[in-house]
């Protein structure tokens, strides 16, 4: 009799664990060295629960991946989970009832109390319900500087954007490209946004990006911005790479002096074995305005008819924001965690600068959080034309002001 009891118990155990072992397909666009190292921390954590992470990496930038992700969901072939930037990118999918309501998970996990700044969670909330789990703050306003490049040029590593602009001729003299820039609109728009905050300041930026004030966009503060961007365009002349991490690699190898890029560039320096403060330096807010945007990444979960999948989706959402996973992922990614209650002592000097700015409340909403995806795309298209051609600054500003005038 005992043998049968044991066999039955063993069978029940196996079937229970087999029942809970769920494979989830997860899509994202993290395919650079640093990004892949970071997303593997999520996969490892999910696999460690006995479930299976089916990685659905999509090569290219978010601009390439988002239409693929969205069309799969609209087309009835949804993945189980997907990265998107938190904010308005998923707005229409949520309104169509295609995204899983995570409010019960958020309440059980106390997200309202742990997510910092709280605005991150607002960017996952529509009509009082929560539809994504924010997993990092990926601020965009960083200047990454190669120590090797400035040594070649015989000048000090700049302490801010203005000193960098002044050092550009010496870099050119030494055969070094001053500013590495991938030839994609979202990268050129990121650079435009970073320069805007440095040159026009936070109030003017907020007036335009949050309040959509086309008069300020057409006004003198932004005229100075477009002149500064036209100057920066000259510093990037000859940067004939496409992807952001190719531009980062030009800085890593000392072939370019600097790159304006989000904090995810940090993951590339880490994978290349470079040490912050020794091989490269970082200037949040370009060393002029200690401000970071609270854009970031979040995971959304398309609605699934299978209750077992739904339960697993909610389990994964809770896992991605858990303390240990937050530390492991963000240290690898170079981004800031969404929780203020975890130990980030292992973070390097660049991340510590970001954490200090966050602690001081020097944050602002990103364009992804304020403007519709369509408006963002219009601005990115304008920036692609402006940065790669010879459009006069005044013409670019007029076009920009009219986009803001009709922004939604
Ligand atoms: C952003 C994303 C970052 C980084 C970047 C470059 O949209 O939020 O995490 O991956 O794209 O791919």
């Amino acid at each position: 009799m005992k043998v049968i009891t044991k066999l039955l118990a063993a069978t029940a155990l196996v079937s229970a664990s087999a029942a809970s072992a769920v494979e989830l397909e997860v899509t994202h666009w993290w395919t650079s060295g640093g990004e892949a190292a970071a997303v593997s921390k999520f996969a490892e954590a999910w696999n460690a629960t006995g479930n299976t992470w089916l990685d659905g990496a999509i090569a290219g930038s978010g601009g390439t991946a988002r239409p693929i992700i969205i069309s799969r969901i609209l087309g009835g072939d949804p993945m189980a989970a997907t990265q998107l930037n938190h904010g308005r990118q998923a707005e229409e999918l949520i309104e169509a009832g295609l995204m899983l309501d995570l409010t019960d998970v958020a309440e059980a996990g106390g997200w309202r109390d742990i997510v910092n700044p709280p605005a991150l969670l607002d960017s996952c909330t529509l009509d009082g319900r929560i539809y994504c789990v924010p997993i990092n703050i990926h601020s965009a306003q960083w200047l990454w500087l190669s120590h090797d490049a400035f040594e070649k040029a015989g000048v000090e590593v700049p302490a801010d954007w203005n000193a960098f602009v002044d050092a550009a001729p010496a870099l050119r003299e030494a055969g070094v490209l001053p500013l590495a820039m991938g030839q994609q609109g979202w990268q050129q728009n990121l650079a435009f946004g970073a320069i805007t905050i440095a040159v026009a300041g936070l109030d003017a930026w907020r007036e335009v990006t949050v309040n959509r004030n086309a008069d300020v966009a057409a006004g003198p503060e932004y005229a100075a911005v477009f002149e500064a961007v036209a100057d920066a365009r000259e510093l990037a002349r000859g940067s004939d790479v496409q992807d952001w991490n190719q531009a980062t690699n030009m800085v890593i190898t000392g072939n370019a002096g600097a790159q304006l890029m989000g904090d995810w560039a940090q993951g590339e320096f880490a994978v290349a074995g470079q040490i912050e403060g020794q091989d490269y330096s970082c200037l949040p807010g370009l060393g002029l305005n200690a401000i970071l945007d609270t854009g970031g990444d979040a995971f959304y979960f398309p609605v699934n008819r299978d209750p077992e999948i739904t339960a697993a989706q909610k389990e994964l959402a809770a896992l991605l924001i858990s303390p240990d996973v937050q530390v492991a992922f963000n240290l690898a990614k170079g981004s800031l965690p969404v929780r203020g209650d975890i130990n980030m002592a292992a973070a390097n000097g660049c991340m510590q600068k970001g954490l200090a700015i966050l602690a001081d409340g020097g944050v602002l909403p990103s364009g992804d959080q304020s403007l519709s995806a369509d408006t963002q795309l219009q601005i990115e298209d304008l920036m692609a034309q402006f940065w790669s051609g010879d459009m006069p600054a005044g013409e670019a500003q007029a076009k920009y002001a009219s986009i803001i005038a009709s922004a939604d």
Side-chain angles (χ1 to χ4, degrees):
M1 187 55 177
K2 266 194 177 171
V3 170
I4 291 175
T5 310
K6 280 185 178 172
L7 275 175
L8 284 175
T11 309
L13 189 64
V14 166
S15 59
S17 63
S20 69
V22 177
E23 179 179 273
L24 294 183
E25 181 196 8
V26 186
T27 50
H28 59 84
W29 58 86
W30 289 325
T31 53
S32 76
E35 293 171 327
V39 73
S40 71
K41 302 298 182 189
F42 282 157
E44 285 159 21
W46 181 241
N47 291 335
T49 63
N51 295 295
T52 304
W53 174 288
L54 179 61
D55 198 71
I58 302 169
S61 67
T64 309
R66 279 191 291 272
I68 295 170
I69 292 165
I70 290 170
S71 60
R72 275 192 57 185
I73 297 170
L74 291 174
D77 173 28
M79 62 298 297
T82 188
Q83 171 213 356
L84 286 172
N85 298 121
H86 59 247
R88 301 184 57 185
Q89 287 174 4
E91 205 165 63
E92 290 167 4
L93 295 171
I94 295 168
E95 287 165 347
L98 295 172
M99 305 303 254
L100 180 61
D101 182 334
L102 298 170
T103 309
D104 56 342
V105 185
E107 287 170 351
W111 294 2
R112 197 45 82 185
D113 302 324
I114 59 174
V115 171
N116 175 49
L120 294 194
L121 206 52
D122 296 343
S123 294
C124 284
T125 304
L126 197 68
D127 301 336
R129 309 297 292 176
I130 293 172
Y131 292 93
C132 66
V133 52
I135 51 94
N136 70 0
I137 296 170
H138 75 184
S139 46
Q141 297 74 19
W142 294 78
L143 187 64
W144 304 93
L145 299 141
S146 160
H147 288 195
D148 183 26
F150 288 95
E151 196 175 327
K152 279 183 208 168
V155 294
E156 285 290 303
V157 176
D160 63 35
W161 173 255
N162 298 327
F164 165 68
V165 173
D166 293 343
L171 288 166
R172 284 279 191 209
E173 276 292 301
V176 175
L177 174 73
L179 186 65
M181 170 69 73
Q183 298 310 309
Q184 292 168 352
W186 72 270
Q187 296 181 57
Q188 290 141 338
N189 188 32
L190 181 146
F192 166 70
I195 292 170
T196 298
I197 291 165
V199 171
L202 183 55
D203 294 342
W205 183 93
R206 193 192 303 275
E207 260 312 292
V208 171
T209 306
V210 179
N211 301 333
R212 301 178 202 141
N213 185 328
D215 294 335
V216 173
E221 294 105 327
Y222 269 68
V225 169
F226 277 88
E227 287 303 332
V229 174
D231 293 344
R233 174 172 66 182
E234 295 314 309
L235 305 186
R237 287 274 192 231
S239 178
D240 50 3
V241 291
Q242 287 300 314
D243 295 333
W244 68 272
N245 51 313
Q246 292 172 310
T248 313
N249 192 53
M250 294 173 81
V251 178
I252 289 171
T253 55
N255 291 309
Q259 179 190 20
L260 282 164
M261 189 41 65
D263 55 25
W264 50 87
Q266 179 112 250
E268 302 308 297
F269 289 99
V271 165
Q274 294 213 330
I275 309 293
E276 176 272 331
Q278 181 182 306
D279 302 307
Y280 70 96
S281 292
C282 57
L283 294 175
L286 314 192
L288 293 174
N289 264 325
I291 292 287
L292 293 174
D293 81 54
T294 57
D297 297 298
F299 276 82
Y300 291 79
F301 302 83
V303 168
N304 191 297
R305 278 190 299 277
D306 181 343
E308 194 176 50
I309 297 289
T310 304
Q313 287 174 311
K314 292 186 174 182
E315 184 185 348
L316 177 56
L319 181 70
L320 297 180
I321 199 170
S322 61
D324 293 349
V325 172
Q326 271 290 299
V327 172
F329 170 78
N330 283 291
L331 285 181
K333 185 89 171 39
S335 46
L336 300 179
V338 297
R339 300 181 66 125
D341 62 348
I342 54 178
N343 177 2
M344 291 298 286
N348 70 11
C350 285
M351 286 189 77
Q352 295 298 347
K353 286 180 184 176
L355 289 165
I357 290 173
L358 188 59
D360 291 345
V363 292
L364 51 89
S366 71
D368 287 336
Q369 292 170 284
S370 308
L371 302 171
S372 72
D374 179 55
T375 298
Q376 283 282 77
L377 278 176
Q378 289 179 53
I379 298 171
E380 288 176 10
D381 289 346
L382 171 60
M383 287 302 148
Q385 293 172 49
F386 182 39
W387 277 85
S388 57
D390 292 308
M391 186 189 290
E395 181 185 337
Q397 180 178 9
K399 290 176 186 290
Y400 177 72
S402 67
I403 291 173
I404 295 299
S406 59
D408 63 351

